Amino acid sequence: MSNFSSFNFKNFRALVRVDFNVPLDEQFNIKDDTRIVESLPTIKKILKDGGAVILMTHFGRPKSGLQSVKLGAEEKYSTIHLVDHLSDLLNLDVIFADDCGSEETYKLAKSLEAGQVMLLENTRFYLDETAGDSDFAQILATLGDVYVNDAFGSAHRAHASTAIVAQFFDASKKMFGLLMEKEVLNAQKVLKDAESPFTAIVGGAKVSDKIMILENLINKAQNIIIGGGMAYTFYKAMGGEIGSSICEEDKLDLALSLIEKAKQNEVKLHLPIDSIIADQFHAEANVMIAPSNSIQEGWMGLDIGPKAIEDFSEVILNSKTILWNGPMGVFEMEKFSKGTEMIAKKVAEATQKGAFSLIGGGDSVAAINKFELKDQVSFVSTGGGAMLEYFEGKELPGISAILN
Ligand code: AMP
């Protein structure tokens, strides 16, 4: 692979896979343009060098598989809705190609001059995209002289535009974009070069969603903090009384085997010693504090308690590397948000003391934003599912396609 920053794009037409899957309102106005804005440095660098850019992205989940709006595809998923805003952001007229693979689009791509930007129609208007079809990927590849992947959020998909297309470029003609490079380097800092003690904080509703990540981290971290609803499956497995707290009865054996594995690997597993319990799953429920293994019938644990916050804080503040995925409680409701807020603050404090902290996965990212601590941690991943799969130890097709 080549290095994006040192590559000179002069006279090259770069085929760039971005993630412009932004939310639209009913009138097709963009509600949140973060994903587009984040790709601008990559696009601008290519233009500044004297290159041209051909952008491709998926956009929503169209069902039709028709290849363009012209042919009757669902109009609300057309990338044409992004053209004006992208043009404003780049201060130039973005050219729109209303499909991805016609002769006309090929000619348009070939006629691009330095400094021009072209946006292809939604790649998911082609069923061949999600099927990872090699012929379709080859057609996409003919549009550019070099391939840049800047869509980390789609790196766990072996789709035509995210992975397969890379096969049609020489190693020296494919690379990560700036956004993707940042995600990969930061993830590697945690998974491959973590400074010890490395603490993984895993929360959220269910153990079943986090099994793979826990199993992988048990081989890497010195501490694993478990919070959120998943903690009660562990307590139940150990014979505790958890009232009506969320519990996966079919995962009790798995919880015990994870506890056993942690012991064997000398990884300290930290569970919340106490909980904020509620008499119903409601923002206005009655609440009290109880030991997490002694919750009476009719009550449920919806947040970690004060002793747990104290325990977890100590571990976090003594860590040099921190990975956080999943909230400590039902942080969307005020009464059950303190645990997540305090842990977010301690992660920020540890970062100020020199730890490297990475926040990944939808809800912990939402939490860190809610408590306005985004700028006080080392890195917040935009990668959602891709980041989760990376931390599960899986090879991501979008990354391997560039590396190999
Ligand atoms: P996840 O997507 O698995 O990270 O789970 C996030 C969701 O877990 C959030 O919507 C939280 O409200 C929920 N959650 C966290 N703690 C609990 C709990 N103790 N009981 C029920 N749901 C919880």
Side-chain angles (χ1 to χ4, degrees):
M1 65 177 269
S2 272
N3 177 282
F4 181 84
S5 301
S6 53
F7 195 93
N8 186 352
F9 288 90
K10 191 171 168 54
N11 296 328
F12 278 107
R13 282 163 302 120
L15 179 66
V16 186
R17 177 53 158 97
V18 285
D19 178 356
F20 282 177
N21 190 20
V22 293
L24 296 184
D25 68 15
E26 312 268 287
Q27 280 75 47
F28 304 131
N29 297 309
I30 297 169
K31 286 200 283 190
D32 177 355
D33 69 352
T34 311
R35 287 183 167 152
I36 299 182
V37 170
E38 281 179 336
S39 290
L40 294 179
T42 295
I43 300 170
K44 285 183 177 168
K45 140 88 177 151
I46 299 168
L47 298 178
K48 192 164 168 255
D49 279 358
V53 176
I54 298 138
L55 295 167
M56 53 181 179
T57 182
H58 71 289
F59 190 44
R61 290 174 184 268
K63 290 184 197 78
S64 65
L66 291 170
Q67 297 165 13
S68 72
V69 170
K70 244 181 356 204
L71 296 176
E74 296 154 277
E75 197 195 339
K76 67 175 171 177
Y77 296 122
S78 171
T79 55
I80 198 165
H81 304 305
L82 310 178
V83 171
D84 286 349
H85 191 61
L86 184 60
S87 298
D88 289 347
L89 289 171
L90 288 169
N91 202 18
L92 50 79
D93 287 330
V94 171
I95 299 160
F96 178 64
D98 60 9
D99 58 53
C100 295
S102 67
E103 187 61 31
E104 218 173 296
T105 294
Y106 175 78
K107 280 188 193 144
L108 210 53
K110 295 289 156 197
S111 69
L112 285 182
E113 287 172 12
Q116 287 191 305
V117 176
M118 171 166 129
L119 175 66
L120 300 184
E121 182 54 284
N122 191 349
T123 51
R124 286 206 192 153
F125 279 168
Y126 293 75
L127 295 176
D128 290 341
E129 161 72 340
T130 44
D133 183 79
S134 187
D135 293 340
F136 177 54
Q138 191 167 14
I139 290 171
L140 293 174
T142 59
L143 302 176
D145 312 311
V146 290
Y147 173 66
V148 177
N149 190 347
D150 212 19
F152 181 72
S154 306
H156 56 318
R157 313 269 186 221
H159 292 175
S161 71
T162 60
I164 315 301
V165 65
Q167 293 168 9
F168 301 99
F169 291 88
D170 288 345
S172 63
K173 297 275 175 59
K174 54 186 172 185
M175 62 205 95
F176 298 136
L178 293 171
L179 193 59
M180 178 104 162
E181 192 177 69
K182 222 170 29 179
E183 293 274 0
V184 174
L185 288 178
N186 281 302
Q188 280 180 347
K189 239 188 227 180
V190 171
L191 266 197
K192 301 217 166 82
D193 313 306
E195 197 183 335
S196 175
F198 168 18
T199 298
I201 310 168
V202 185
K206 291 187 187 160
V207 185
S208 48
D209 292 339
K210 309 286 161 91
I211 297 170
M212 308 270 279
I213 197 168
L214 286 170
E215 288 195 329
N216 193 33
L217 292 172
I218 274 175
N219 299 314
K220 301 193 184 293
Q222 280 73 51
N223 296 293
I224 297 185
I225 290 176
I226 293 185
M230 54 190 285
Y232 303 102
T233 300
F234 283 86
Y235 274 117
K236 177 85 184 273
M238 291 187 291
E241 303 287 339
I242 60 162
S244 7
S245 306
I246 188 171
C247 176
E248 288 168 280
E249 297 286 343
D250 61 334
K251 293 290 176 293
L252 299 178
D253 287 344
L254 175 90
L256 288 178
S257 84
L258 286 170
I259 294 171
E260 194 44 45
K261 261 190 212 158
K263 255 191 218 148
Q264 280 167 11
N265 287 7
E266 295 179 16
V267 176
K268 286 204 190 103
L269 205 63
H270 304 265
L271 287 162
I273 187 156
D274 59 353
S275 294
I276 306 293
I277 61 169
D279 59 355
Q280 53 174 322
F281 191 89
H282 194 277
E284 300 307 325
N286 292 307
V287 296
M288 46 184 192
I289 299 167
S292 300
N293 63 356
S294 180
I295 299 174
Q296 64 203 74
E297 216 27 73
W299 289 71
M300 62 192 83
L302 294 185
D303 195 8
I304 57 172
K307 284 198 189 121
I309 293 179
E310 213 178 297
D311 282 358
F312 291 179
S313 299
E314 197 188 324
V315 178
I316 292 168
L317 290 175
N318 285 317
S319 303
K320 283 275 171 248
T321 306
I322 302 164
L323 168 67
W324 182 16
N325 174 278
M328 297 290 99
V330 184
F331 75 104
E332 299 93 334
M333 298 182 199
E334 197 56 38
K335 280 191 179 178
F336 314 110
S337 65
K338 181 139 188 245
T340 305
E341 179 174 9
M342 290 307 293
I343 294 312
K345 285 191 171 146
K346 293 299 161 187
V347 172
E349 205 177 315
T351 313
Q352 259 71 75
K353 281 177 55 187
F356 177 80
S357 56
L358 189 151
I359 321 297
D363 274 321
S364 20
V365 174
I368 210 89
N369 286 335
K370 176 176 173 181
F371 304 122
E372 296 178 359
L373 291 165
K374 187 174 188 269
D375 300 329
Q376 294 180 49
V377 295
S378 309
F379 188 67
V380 178
S381 169
T382 58
M387 190 51 101
L388 208 62
E389 288 198 19
Y390 196 77
F391 283 111
E392 287 172 354
K394 289 184 188 150
E395 211 172 280
L396 304 190
I399 295 184
S400 337
I402 298 285
L403 294 178
N404 304 323

